[in-house]
Amino acid sequence: MPAEVFGAGYEFLPKDEILRFGEVERLAKVFVKMGVRKLRLTGGEPLLRRDLHVLVRKLAEIEGVEDLAMTTNGVLLAAKAEEMKKAGLQRVTVSLDAMDQEVFGAMNGVGAKVERVVEGIDAALAVGLVVKVNTVVKKGVNEGEVPKLAAFARERQIPVRFIEYMDTGNANRWKLDEVMPTADLLAQLKQVYPLEAVCDPKLGETSERFHLPGVDGFEVGFISSVTRPFCRDCNRARLSADGHLFTCLFASVGHDVKALVRGGFDDEALAMQLAAIWSVRMDRYSEERAGMKEIPKKAEMSYLGG
């Protein structure tokens, strides 16, 4: 969230426009009855939401939920990890784009400290949460940090995923020549580690995964949405804080399901509406990007989450 865009004068949503925990729980229950098995809390930064553990507990108690995870920048995680674990959270994915503080600052731009993120990761591991590290790689900024991050993950026996810099939203002023292709990153890491491909792909899996024989826990994944898009296998839906359903990370607009929830629709009618939205989705932005003469305006990553 660049400070020049989201500065002191930026007008955020009024609280009554944001979904209440009970509304999120209700929609989650409807989705689970339709076949969803994985739920993820993301952001912006989900740990900023007051009493988030209450929502985590509500979601963890839904029959049929097999995986309850959170994506976080890790800054508040050390203080919240135990509370989240007790509430029923199973996994956290922590964003960490560099081990060097100066490079880290260039990537996140909000003054966060690497040490606080590392403290959060260690606290999450200490309370028994499953931890994964996500790193966005931007050419000319942090590609030199990739071996350090791999070493960090190996030391803690956790997976790390390197993500090609994407044109999510409009505020990051994305350029194609700033993308560090997965093939180059993999070649770089293979000079250090004898990585072998993990050959158990699942439908909707976003990353290509590699492991180090004989080393438990440590794994390297690559999300290549620019050089090797996976639109046709995508099975993810995103529900924004203000109750809009997005069928693609690169979508311009979402479907207003808050109006349905607050408009008296029962669960069966809600399910029918959600199924209708999902069944006609045509999202293929990553596959079509190269042939576009004009790039459409997209929802910001801070609004949609990862």
Side-chain angles (χ1 to χ4, degrees):
M1 301 178 70
E4 64 270 21
V5 178
F6 300 96
Y10 187 83
E11 291 190 25
F12 290 93
L13 285 172
K15 287 187 177 180
D16 61 358
E17 291 296 320
I18 297 173
L19 287 175
R20 296 182 283 271
F21 285 167
E23 293 171 330
V24 176
E25 178 190 16
R26 183 186 172 199
L27 282 164
K29 285 180 176 179
V30 173
F31 273 114
V32 170
K33 285 182 180 178
M34 297 170 68
V36 168
R37 293 292 173 262
K38 296 182 179 183
L39 301 177
R40 174 177 295 274
L41 295 163
T42 178
E45 174 46 50
L47 290 175
L48 287 172
R49 184 78 182 256
R50 183 179 298 173
D51 295 326
L52 185 68
H53 65 284
V54 175
L55 177 60
V56 169
R57 185 173 294 111
K58 288 177 180 290
L59 298 178
E61 291 173 351
I62 297 175
E63 185 176 353
V65 173
E66 298 173 359
D67 185 13
L68 181 57
M70 177 188 297
T71 297
T72 170
N73 64 23
V75 173
L76 301 175
L77 186 56
K80 300 284 188 178
E82 185 173 7
E83 183 178 60
M84 293 298 110
K85 174 66 175 176
K86 287 180 177 178
L89 190 70
Q90 296 167 277
R91 298 189 298 118
V92 287
T93 298
V94 182
S95 301
L96 180 61
D97 295 332
M99 300 304 300
D100 177 85
Q101 180 58 48
E102 186 175 347
V103 179
F104 183 74
M107 286 296 293
N108 71 61
V110 294
K113 302 297 182 184
V114 173
E115 309 91 78
R116 288 193 67 182
V117 180
V118 172
E119 286 172 8
I121 290 171
D122 289 341
L125 289 169
V127 301
L129 287 167
V130 177
V131 177
K132 182 188 300 177
V133 169
N134 268 7
T135 298
V136 174
V137 184
K138 187 176 180 181
K139 185 184 289 186
V141 182
N142 69 329
E143 71 266 36
E145 294 291 297
V146 168
K148 300 177 192 177
L149 288 155
F152 172 85
R154 181 180 180 181
E155 179 184 351
R156 284 161 174 76
Q157 296 182 293
I158 58 177
V160 58
R161 296 192 301 186
F162 297 107
I163 304 170
E164 290 180 342
Y165 181 49
M166 295 182 288
D167 52 335
T168 50
N170 317 280
N172 66 1
R173 301 183 181 92
W174 179 88
K175 297 177 183 177
L176 182 60
D177 59 10
E178 295 173 329
V179 175
M180 189 73 181
T182 283
D184 294 349
L185 292 177
L186 180 57
Q188 180 183 5
L189 284 173
K190 280 190 171 181
Q191 293 178 3
V192 183
Y193 302 107
L195 296 173
E196 294 183 0
V198 176
C199 300
D200 65 340
K202 300 178 178 66
L203 183 66
E205 182 75 49
T206 59
S207 63
E208 300 173 79
R209 296 158 49 218
F210 296 81
H211 73 110
L212 193 58
V215 178
D216 293 333
F218 173 63
E219 187 179 275
V220 177
F222 299 93
I223 298 180
S224 318
S225 117
V226 178
T227 63
R228 291 200 286 271
F230 40 81
C231 301
R232 294 161 199 264
D233 286 341
C234 179
N235 59 4
R236 299 186 177 196
R238 291 170 174 83
L239 179 66
S240 67
D242 63 346
H244 285 77
L245 182 67
F246 288 77
T247 57
C248 178
L249 182 61
F250 300 98
S252 299
V253 294
H255 304 266
D256 186 0
V257 296
K258 179 178 65 184
L260 304 178
V261 171
R262 295 182 180 178
F265 280 64
D266 61 22
D267 288 356
E268 184 177 351
L270 267 177
M272 290 179 64
Q273 291 294 317
L274 295 175
I277 292 169
W278 187 256
S279 64
V280 298
R281 65 193 179 108
M282 299 290 289
D283 309 291
R284 290 178 52 222
Y285 173 80
S286 286
E287 293 180 350
E288 296 173 339
R289 177 196 293 108
M292 290 182 173
K293 294 182 179 179
E294 183 176 347
I295 300 297
K297 187 175 181 180
K298 304 179 293 295
E300 295 296 339
M301 189 70 147
S302 56
Y303 172 72
L304 275 188

